């Protein structure tokens, strides 16, 4: 007996754009420009341009499995580069322009990328990265003209042939690379595959998740260099929804204008973005009547902000939780759930499983209403970091997230803290150890510690606590050595001088006590 069979259909990301081009040619991408214009393109034309970008890259020697780095804002040209790189079977290595050149250069060196596509206004940073890596890097500018040491990509697209073939590789091929920014020591690279990102997209479209439909217009404020922009550049063409991109301008006035002009129905980003929108509308007046839902993640959602947004804007706020290693979505609060809370991040969709464990990774006998170390596994969860031979999971496939969490009776996840001392500010991680190492090296400093203090806008902001050998050191003298050593937004907001640094029984600085005394909201 011969069994029947289904057609082979590789789960590769180029299929999303091809589907939208064929079945939703009326939908597409809108990009806000610095001069106030909004440029639009349909999915059909966007796919044709992306294929020509693939032809350009192939002409530069890029082939299957090669890394192509991007350093860019949320624009049409960046989306085209994404699909061009991934569609030809190469790997898109996104770089975060908020990090230092040294961090970015180390990441690009490790990936071996020989092409860097960058936003024209980031030219100085792009050139610095190219100087810091051992390999020769070809620089291609988007959203601007040719610059010293770089070519403009747009003229190359115009001269490139049409119809470059996409998708001629297995669904298990890598498609993306994103580093975790060095928040637990050396940066760790997370390699995304086509299959994982395809399945992640299908999860995002589910009714109890982001629930994006062809009737929606989605504003992606979450950066494309931050964990795949939460998968929105894939989910919107997959659903036939319109994708709206803010460029580099995410202030409240710009977002309000863009939401009204494009009829945005769903907006996605970290809580501080929506605080800016809310404060603008409260100060200047005006409405955003098309907006129905705001999906937040990347940082804790202040309950007061959630209540203000829903009351003032008439929207539903959906909280979520995820991380780079999860492609990145783990859980999303359903818009249909009658019980929603800023402290709850929703349930996992099918394809993601959660488990709380003890400090050694052993599952707790009770999995509901008890705090434990959060572990996760699923089709879009990291198994092994880039360049590392050892798996990042245990024998049962569980990945330790580093979060402390509680799961309620209904299956809703609540993140209760971090197992380590990282500070999350505006959706981005800050590593206190890097700051402490610089300050502790100063001759006038005896001991130094950095903790996160609660902040109504950013979630947390770092403060520096010092025990000085010489009492006369100014704040400026203590903070100035950090410039150029860490990202500017890592620099602590305040310096607190202590007569004696509290020490635990082990002799280490007692950060639990410091957080208890100084970690509350500043008054």
């Amino acid at each position: 007996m011969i069994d029947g069979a289904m057609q082979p259909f590789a789960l590769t990301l180029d299929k999303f754009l091809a589907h939208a081009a064929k079945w939703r040619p009326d939908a597409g991408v809108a990009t806000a420009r610095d001069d106030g214009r909004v440029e639009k393109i349909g999915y059909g034309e966007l796919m044709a341009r992306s294929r020509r970008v693939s032809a350009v890259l192939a002409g530069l020697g890029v082939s299957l499995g090669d890394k192509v780095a991007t350093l860019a804002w949320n624009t049409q040209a960046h989306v085209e580069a994404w699909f061009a790189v991934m569609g030809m079977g190469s790997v898109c290595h996104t770089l975060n322009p908020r990090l230092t050149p040294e961090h970015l250069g180390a990441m690009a060196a490790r990936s071996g990328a020989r092409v860097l596509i960058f936003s024209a206004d980031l030219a100085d940073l792009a050139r610095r990265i190219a100087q810091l890596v051992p390999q020769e890097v070809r620089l291609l500018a988007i959203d601007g003209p040719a610059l010293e040491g770089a070519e403009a990509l747009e003229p190359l697209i115009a001269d490139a042939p049409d119809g470059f073939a996409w998708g001629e590789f297995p669904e298990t091929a890598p498609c993306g690379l994103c580093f975790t920014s060095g928040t637990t020591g050396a940066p760790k690279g997370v390699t995304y595959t086509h299959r994982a990102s395809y399945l992640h997209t299908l999860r995002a479209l589910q009714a109890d998740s982001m629930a994006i439909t062809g009737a929606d217009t989605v504003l992606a404020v979450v950066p494309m260099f931050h964990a795949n922009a939460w998968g929105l550049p894939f989910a919107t063409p997959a659903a036939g929804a319109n994708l709206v991109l803010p460029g580099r301008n995410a202030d409240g006035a710009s977002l309000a204008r863009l939401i009204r002009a494009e009829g945005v129905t769903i907006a996605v980003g970290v809580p501080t973005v929506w605080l800016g929108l809310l404060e603008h509308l409260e100060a200047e007046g005006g409405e955003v009547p098309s907006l129905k839902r705001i999906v937040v993640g990347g940082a804790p959602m202040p309950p007061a902000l959630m209540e203000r947004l829903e009351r003032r804007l008439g929207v539903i706020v959906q909280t979520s939780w995820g991380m780079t290693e999860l492609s990145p979505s783990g859980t999303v609060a359903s818009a249909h759930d009658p019980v929603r809370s800023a402290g709850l991040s929703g349930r996992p969709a099918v394809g993601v499983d959660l488990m709380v464990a003890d400090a050694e990774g052993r599952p707790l006998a009770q999995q509901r209403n008890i705090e434990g170390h959060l572990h996760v596994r699923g089709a879009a969860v990291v198994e092994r970091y880039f360049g590392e031979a050892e798996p990042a999971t245990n024998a049962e496939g569980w990945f330790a997230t580093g979060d402390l969490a509680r799961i309620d009776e209904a299956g809703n996840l609540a993140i209760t803290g971090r197992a380590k001392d990282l500070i999350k500010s505006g959706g981005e991680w800050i590593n206190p150890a890097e700051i402490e190492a610089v300050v502790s090296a100063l001759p006038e400093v005896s001991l130094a510690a950095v903790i996160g203090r609660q902040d109504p806008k950013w979630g947390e902001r770092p403060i520096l606590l010092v025990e000085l050998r010489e009492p006369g050191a100014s704040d400026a003298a203590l903070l100035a050595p950090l410039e150029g050593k860490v990202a500017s937004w890592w620099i602590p907001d305040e310096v607190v001088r202590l007569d004696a640094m509290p020490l635990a029984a082990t002799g280490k600085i007692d950060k639990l006590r410091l957080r208890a005394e100084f970690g509350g909201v500043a008054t």
Side-chain angles (χ1 to χ4, degrees):
M1 182 177 65
I2 300 176
D3 285 328
M6 293 293 172
Q7 297 177 12
F9 185 89
L11 305 183
T12 55
L13 298 174
D14 55 286
K15 290 183 170 65
F16 293 143
L17 194 52
H19 175 84
K22 182 175 182 179
W23 298 109
R24 289 304 302 268
D26 55 319
V29 175
T31 301
R33 298 301 181 187
D34 291 345
D35 60 6
R37 294 178 300 114
V38 177
E39 294 182 356
K40 299 183 182 182
I41 188 172
Y43 282 124
E45 185 181 354
L46 186 137
M47 182 175 69
R49 285 177 54 85
S50 293
R51 287 177 182 262
R52 290 200 290 272
V53 176
S54 296
V56 171
L57 295 174
L60 297 178
V62 176
S63 60
L64 187 70
D66 287 344
K67 313 300 187 297
V68 175
T70 67
L71 181 77
W73 310 112
N74 287 21
T75 67
Q76 171 194 320
H78 199 181
V79 173
E80 290 171 354
W82 266 31
F83 277 102
V85 173
M86 298 179 191
M88 66 189 296
S90 301
V91 181
C92 185
H93 176 196
T94 52
L95 295 173
N96 184 343
R98 296 173 180 165
L99 301 179
T100 64
E102 290 72 22
H103 276 128
L104 297 173
M107 295 172 189
R110 288 175 62 186
S111 78
R114 295 184 179 275
V115 175
L116 172 56
I117 299 172
F118 66 94
S119 292
D121 65 319
L122 297 172
D124 290 342
L125 181 56
R127 283 190 285 259
R128 181 63 179 141
I129 293 168
Q131 293 169 354
L132 289 169
V133 299
Q135 71 271 22
E136 183 178 350
V137 178
R138 190 77 167 264
L139 298 179
L140 299 177
I142 57 175
D143 297 320
L147 299 157
E148 181 182 351
E151 296 177 84
L153 182 56
E154 187 61 35
L156 301 179
I157 297 174
D159 294 336
D162 292 320
F164 188 93
W166 277 357
E168 299 179 353
F169 46 82
E171 63 182 27
T172 53
C175 65
L177 176 63
C178 183
F179 280 81
T180 58
S181 303
T183 54
T184 57
K188 294 181 179 180
V190 179
T191 301
Y192 303 118
T193 66
H194 282 266
R195 179 180 184 272
S197 296
Y198 196 107
L199 295 175
H200 179 276
T201 300
L202 298 185
R203 284 198 286 107
L205 298 179
Q206 292 180 28
D208 280 332
S209 186
M210 289 193 185
I212 297 170
T213 74
D216 284 310
T217 295
V218 181
L219 172 61
V221 186
V222 56
M224 291 176 65
F225 52 75
H226 189 80
N228 277 349
W230 301 357
L232 294 173
F234 307 136
T236 45
N242 290 300
L243 175 62
V244 179
L245 302 172
R248 62 178 180 176
N249 298 316
D251 60 281
S254 297
L255 293 180
R257 184 167 55 250
L258 192 55
I259 291 170
R260 285 192 289 261
E262 298 305 314
V264 169
T265 59
I266 303 172
V268 187
V270 297
T272 51
V273 166
W274 311 121
L275 175 61
L277 172 66
L278 182 66
E279 289 180 340
H280 167 75
L281 294 174
E282 288 177 340
E284 304 296 330
E287 303 293 335
V288 284
S290 64
L291 191 61
K292 306 303 179 188
R293 292 188 283 130
I294 292 177
V295 181
V296 297
M301 183 64 182
L305 176 58
M306 181 171 173
E307 192 276 332
R308 286 172 64 195
L309 286 167
E310 294 196 337
R311 184 183 71 251
R312 174 62 176 81
L313 305 185
V315 300
I316 292 173
V317 174
Q318 292 177 257
T319 50
S320 69
W321 166 81
M323 57 194 309
T324 303
E325 289 91 340
L326 273 62
S327 296
S329 179
T331 64
V332 180
S334 172
H336 309 293
D337 198 326
V339 179
R340 290 179 298 103
S341 166
L344 297 177
S345 300
R347 306 175 187 85
V350 64
V352 179
D353 197 12
L354 307 178
M355 182 265 288
V356 287
D358 62 18
E360 285 70 45
R362 295 183 294 260
L364 299 179
Q366 179 181 336
Q367 287 288 306
R368 294 291 193 271
N369 297 317
I370 186 169
E371 186 179 72
H373 293 254
L374 182 63
H375 290 63
V376 62
R377 64 183 177 187
V381 177
V382 69
E383 179 183 43
R384 185 177 63 252
Y385 286 108
F386 177 74
E388 297 189 8
E390 295 300 316
T393 58
N394 66 14
E396 289 74 42
W398 290 107
F399 171 75
T401 67
D403 285 311
L404 299 175
R406 185 184 301 268
I407 303 172
D408 69 14
E409 289 292 346
N412 292 297
L413 176 69
I415 301 297
T416 56
R418 287 291 292 176
K420 297 186 178 181
D421 293 329
L422 304 179
I423 298 168
K424 204 164 195 181
S425 182
E428 301 278 356
W429 290 110
I430 295 173
N431 187 358
E434 291 192 34
I435 303 172
E436 292 163 355
V438 175
V439 177
S440 297
L442 298 176
E444 56 266 55
V445 174
S446 177
L447 292 171
V450 174
I451 65 168
R453 183 173 62 193
Q454 296 177 38
D455 186 276
K457 180 176 182 180
W458 301 109
E460 288 183 306
R461 287 296 300 154
I463 62 170
L464 172 64
L465 302 106
V466 291
E467 178 182 327
L468 297 175
R469 291 191 181 96
E470 302 173 12
S474 67
D475 289 4
L478 295 171
L479 297 176
L482 294 170
E483 296 178 7
K485 300 286 184 61
V486 300
S488 60
W489 51 273
W490 282 31
I491 295 177
D493 284 357
E494 183 180 345
V495 177
V496 178
R497 293 164 176 77
L498 302 176
D499 293 332
M501 185 74 69
L503 302 178
T506 59
K508 296 181 180 180
I509 294 174
D510 189 347
K511 285 197 170 182
L512 288 176
R513 179 175 167 186
L514 290 177
R515 280 192 284 266
E517 293 184 16
F518 300 100
V521 178
T523 57

